[in-house]
Amino acid sequence: MIGLASASGDGRASEIAGSELLEAAKAVLDANWVGRSTVPSRDLYPHQWSWDSAFVAIGRSWYDQERAQAELESLFAGQWSDGRVPHIVFNPDVPADAYFPGPTFWRSSDVPDSPVRLETSGLVQPPLHAWAVLEVHDRASDPSAARAFLERMYPKLVAWHRYLLEHRDPERIGLAAILHPWESGLDNSPAWEDALRHIDIPAGLLPAYERRDLVNADPADRPTDAAYDRFVYLADAYRGGRYDDGRICRMSPFVIVGPLVNALLIRSSLALAAIAELLGDDPEPHRGAASAIRHAMKEHLWDPQHARYYSPNLKRGQLMREASILSFMPLLDPGLSAQGVQAIVRDLSAPCFHPPEAAQHYLVPSYDLTGELFDPRRYWRGPVWINTDWLVWRGLLQHGQVDLAAHVADSTIELVRRSGFREYFDPFSGAGYGSGDFAWTAALVIDVIERGRP
Ligand code: 9WN
């Protein structure tokens, strides 16, 4: 179904190639395992990242249940008492300056809500965790250990969703907002350009800092210094306000409600409902939450003029109309209307994301190939990323769009075969950029191959 066979033309040859890729992917995950969790990459990201760990757990669950569970449990060991799951849990054995901003920047232990024995960031990342927990559970071979895992995770996941809907919804519209581009997971996307452009950093309010990312990466691949200044300024302001969401929502110029976070919140709320049922708890509140978010997304994110989901900037009271891969994420909602599915499939098949077959290209570029801000190699401004490919693929499959889903899966596999387990890829040439041996690339290739088996 996913077209692995069509890539080589010979069923058996592709099966062998598929199993070699599978073994290579497992080797990447094993090399990035650091005892209780997996680093996204050994050089650029030496700690534990929130949504990376969820992707990794999904991939690992096909062959290593113990590590898949440990991955998610070690992330939630960093959960704050207000329910937030931090976007980074720092490894105390790694030097403080190995990544910027590191633990001495965030200073989470100064805040009473933070965990006692761990240093973390104060931001969050997209809420894919309940979905990941359910997927891990569903592939377990030991039912009692799997049930115990669900029992431990369920209250933590409930608290996490409650945090997002209670602390991150300043205008009470029933949707969760992000307060920093790093919270989007697609940090440098042109989707945030309009909001960042309107941020003037007041003199003296940008702390002195040194970028670490450029030590291990080509500056042409990474966000610019101007973008980084804004990232650091926003993060510093949040920390200065002691991570008080009410206060930061009032003061910050960056309060954005996006389709990825909220579509994942729907998907994960439905996973929570399934977990509740397995544990004999009431699933209805979680189903109710999912349908309320669905309606609120239609009301606040849907642009009838372009028939597309966009991200409103609550601070400027307007939709930011950039055509990025974020607009396809409502596919993750199994209850998305037929009109919504059709509109997304139309956009995904249009030349700005999927040029005619004659032109060599790979799916799915992170940003409009014809857009003014398109860049084939810079972070989130055009390259293909395997995690967003995977999200779109799972979304297409659940809406019965098997042909387009197969194109996406073929691209994923071809990119990795061509350039290795890189962090991201040029949508035209397929060249790999960013880190090598990148964990979620490996993990999600495992899911694509395993799910595609007859
Ligand atoms: C900041 C770890 C993370 C991913 C993000 C990706 C990138 C960090 C950075 O790396 O962000 O969180 O330093 O650029 O954008 O999605 O979780 O892989």
Side-chain angles (χ1 to χ4, degrees), residues 33-38 48-50 53 66-79 85-86 88-90 115 118-120 149 153 156:
W33 176 254
V34 290
R36 292 279 304 158
S37 66
T38 309
Q48 181 173 26
W49 260 259
S50 168
S53 276
E66 214 175 290
R67 284 189 181 180
Q69 292 185 16
E71 184 81 45
L72 290 160
E73 297 210 53
S74 67
L75 176 70
F76 276 76
Q79 184 170 32
V85 178
I88 308 174
V89 177
F90 291 107
L118 284 168
E119 295 288 342
T120 77
F149 169 63
M153 292 305 293
K156 298 177 182 177

Side-chain angles (χ1 to χ4, degrees), residues 154-176:
Y154 180 62
K156 298 177 182 177
L157 293 164
V158 170
W160 166 220
H161 285 208
R162 192 181 302 128
Y163 167 78
L164 288 170
L165 288 170
E166 287 181 3
H167 292 250
R168 293 306 193 89
D169 183 14
E171 297 190 1
R172 296 280 164 251
I173 57 174
L175 296 167

Side-chain angles (χ1 to χ4, degrees), residues 44-199:
L44 209 49
Y45 309 111
H47 300 283
Q48 181 173 26
W49 260 259
S50 168
W51 77 329
D52 299 60
S53 276
F55 290 124
V56 165
I58 289 171
R60 262 200 213 282
S61 67
W62 287 101
Y63 69 100
D64 189 341
Q65 185 65 210
E66 214 175 290
R67 284 189 181 180
Q69 292 185 16
E71 184 81 45
L72 290 160
E73 297 210 53
S74 67
L75 176 70
F76 276 76
Q79 184 170 32
W80 292 28
S81 62
D82 62 8
R84 92 179 68 198
V85 178
H87 99 293
I88 308 174
V89 177
F90 291 107
N91 179 345
D93 298 333
V94 169
D97 63 353
Y99 175 79
F100 174 82
T104 52
F105 176 92
W106 296 104
R107 298 205 296 269
S108 61
S109 43
D110 289 356
V111 184
D113 278 338
S114 74
V116 181
R117 273 179 292 277
L118 284 168
E119 295 288 342
T120 77
S121 83
L123 299 175
V124 299
Q125 271 187 329
L128 141 103
H129 312 85
W131 184 19
V133 165
L134 184 62
E135 296 242 325
V136 170
H137 166 272
D138 289 352
R139 281 194 279 280
S141 53
D142 175 345
S144 72
R147 187 186 167 91
F149 169 63
L150 280 194
E151 278 167 356
R152 291 192 299 276
M153 292 305 293
Y154 180 62
K156 298 177 182 177
L157 293 164
V158 170
W160 166 220
H161 285 208
R162 192 181 302 128
Y163 167 78
L164 288 170
L165 288 170
E166 287 181 3
H167 292 250
R168 293 306 193 89
D169 183 14
E171 297 190 1
R172 296 280 164 251
I173 57 174
L175 296 167
I178 55 167
L179 306 177
H180 194 291
W182 283 331
E183 296 203 309
S184 72
L186 277 66
D187 319 347
N188 199 38
S189 171
W192 323 126
E193 196 68 15
D194 182 68
L196 294 176
R197 208 182 359 242
H198 286 91
I199 297 178

Side-chain angles (χ1 to χ4, degrees), residues 290-308:
S291 93
I293 299 165
R294 179 177 308 129
H295 287 110
M297 278 181 70
K298 187 76 197 283
E299 188 180 343
H300 298 281
L301 273 56
W302 175 252
D303 175 7
Q305 196 192 333
H306 294 91
R308 199 177 272 166

